């Protein structure tokens, strides 16, 4: 598996497996299938409420811990220098792990400065091998960087062909933060899988549209965590390292950018209010 080196020297597989919106009672089976297919990078979060099932699948797999890369995330209601360590320990307990490979602040709300300082301590203690953020727009990302000692290793943000995040990518690169895509398939919105540009490129390579999209992201130096509950699709999503898109094809896909979220705007007060009222089981 191809890897990317984070700013603290930790290697992260460029292609992982996400479990967002996978029901808890299905997660153990789905993750077991993903591991069997060859995934070694698993992305979950406290707010997904399936960490315990992820942990059971990891334990049952028999795969050595040092061959796995596990990401989980801190939900915003547990942000703050005092609350974050306890939330982290609960995630570790649910996962059945002694450490995580990457711990992210899930949303740029509440006391994320206090959370970050607690996470710096978790990093120093080796409880998290790397720390980062998710859904941070460039202004909040830079604000966090310049006022703290540790620069986030990763910023996981909505990124797909319709919302390519070119400016975010530029800022992240300037500060040594790695760009990670959630929603790489845009959940099929805008009829992505039948898009004529993408289907033509896919046909030229004898590939699926999904494989073209993942390959496009990887060639942009973006980490990807596609989700699927179908074993054949899991394997297909892994098979993207034996072909390459041409510069002209990359340009064609770049022209599809609308520079607009298909899900939610983190600067929208209604979204801030909505997320702030979401409480998770602890």
């Amino acid at each position: 598996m191809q890897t990317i080196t984070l700013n603290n020297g930790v290697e992260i597989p460029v292609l992982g497996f996400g479990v967002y919106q996978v029901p808890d009672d299905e997660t153990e089976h789905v993750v077991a299938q993903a591991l069997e297919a060859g995934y070694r990078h698993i992305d979950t979060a406290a707010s997904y409420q399936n960490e315990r099932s992820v942990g059971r699948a990891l334990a049952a797999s028999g795969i050595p811990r040092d061959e796995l890369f596990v990401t989980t995330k801190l939900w915003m209601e547990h942000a703050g220098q005092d609350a974050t360590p306890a939330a982290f320990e609960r995630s570790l307990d649910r996962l059945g792990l002694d450490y995580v490979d990457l711990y992210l602040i899930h949303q740029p709300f509440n006391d994320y400065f206090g959370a970050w300082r607690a996470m710096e301590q978790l990093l120093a203690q080796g409880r998290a091998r790397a720390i980062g953020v998710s859904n941070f727009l460039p202004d909040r990302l830079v604000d966090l960087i310049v006022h703290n000692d540790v620069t986030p290793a990763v910023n996981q943000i909505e990124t797909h062909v319709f919302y390519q995040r070119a400016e975010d990518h530029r800022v992240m690169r300037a500060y040594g933060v790695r760009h990670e895509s959630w929603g790489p398939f845009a959940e099929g919105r805008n009829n992505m899988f039948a898009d004529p540009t993408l289907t033509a490129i896919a046909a030229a390579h004898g590939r699926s549209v999904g494989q073209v999209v993942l390959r496009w992201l990887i060639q942009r130096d973006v980490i990807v965590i596609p989700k699927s509950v179908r074993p054949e699709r899991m394997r297909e999503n892994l098979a993207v390292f034996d072909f390459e898109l041409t510069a002209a094809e990359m340009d064609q896909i770049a022209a599809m950018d609308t520079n607009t979220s298909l899900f939610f705007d983190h600067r929208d007060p209604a979204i801030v209010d909505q997320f702030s009222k979401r409480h998770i089981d602890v």
Side-chain angles (χ1 to χ4, degrees):
M1 172 66 70
Q2 181 178 323
T3 63
I4 280 180
T5 304
L6 302 178
N7 57 19
N8 66 347
V10 168
E11 298 282 326
I12 181 172
V14 71
L15 179 59
F17 185 79
V19 297
Y20 175 56
Q21 293 182 330
V22 178
D24 186 48
D25 60 357
E26 298 176 22
T27 297
E28 182 176 356
H29 178 64
V30 167
V31 172
Q33 290 180 313
L35 294 169
E36 184 178 353
Y39 291 87
R40 293 296 180 265
H41 171 186
I42 306 296
D43 181 281
T44 185
S47 72
Y48 301 169
Q49 300 192 301
N50 56 18
E51 288 173 308
R52 200 174 300 280
S53 295
V54 169
R56 286 196 296 267
L58 296 176
S61 73
I63 298 169
R65 176 66 183 92
D66 61 3
E67 295 180 16
L68 296 167
F69 192 100
V70 181
T71 298
T72 195
K73 309 178 191 76
L74 172 76
W75 187 241
M76 53 187 293
E77 73 175 306
H78 302 130
Q81 197 150 0
D82 295 330
T84 294
F88 177 78
E89 293 299 333
R90 290 192 295 270
S91 283
L92 273 190
D93 179 67
R94 288 189 291 263
L95 288 164
L97 300 176
D98 296 323
Y99 66 92
V100 296
D101 299 278
L102 180 61
Y103 194 45
L104 303 180
I105 295 176
H106 203 156
Q107 302 288 349
F109 308 131
N110 202 353
D111 182 15
Y112 59 82
F113 268 79
W116 188 251
R117 287 164 185 153
M119 288 165 61
E120 289 180 328
Q121 292 302 308
L122 295 172
L123 178 70
Q125 295 161 6
R127 310 301 306 287
R129 296 178 64 224
I131 56 176
V133 297
S134 182
N135 297 305
F136 274 56
L137 293 163
D139 57 337
R140 295 209 179 196
L141 178 65
V142 173
D143 186 38
L144 186 73
I145 290 169
V146 299
H147 293 292
N148 287 284
D149 294 329
V150 176
T151 295
V154 163
N155 186 16
Q156 185 184 113
I157 58 176
E158 176 190 351
T159 312
H160 44 74
V161 296
F162 305 113
Y163 193 29
Q164 300 184 13
R165 314 303 290 268
E167 177 60 13
D168 299 71
H169 190 86
R170 185 194 67 77
V171 171
M172 282 187 258
R173 185 180 291 275
Y175 284 89
V177 181
R178 290 294 187 171
H179 183 171
E180 185 170 21
S181 159
W182 65 256
F185 299 142
E187 293 185 3
R189 298 185 187 193
N190 289 3
N191 206 21
M192 190 198 81
F193 289 105
D195 180 88
T197 297
L198 297 176
T199 54
I201 294 172
H205 291 273
R207 302 288 174 150
S208 70
V209 166
Q211 287 174 313
V212 166
V213 168
L214 295 177
R215 184 67 212 174
W216 166 75
L217 284 162
I218 290 168
Q219 284 184 217
R220 290 183 63 209
D221 208 21
V222 176
I223 302 160
V224 289
I225 47 169
K227 180 200 82 174
S228 177
V229 296
R230 296 166 52 189
E232 67 276 14
R233 192 71 70 196
M234 295 176 190
R235 292 189 294 271
E236 178 183 292
N237 290 343
L238 278 176
V240 294
F241 296 101
D242 58 350
F243 76 104
E244 188 168 325
L245 302 180
T246 66
E249 289 167 338
M250 294 291 288
D251 288 344
Q252 284 180 276
I253 297 174
M256 297 174 63
D257 191 13
T258 67
N259 199 32
T260 303
S261 170
L262 296 187
F263 297 95
F264 36 73
D265 180 352
H266 282 82
R267 289 200 178 104
D268 180 350
I271 291 296
V272 180
D273 185 67
Q274 175 188 326
F275 283 6
S276 298
K277 291 175 178 174
R278 181 170 185 267
H279 300 291
I280 64 172
D281 294 338
V282 297

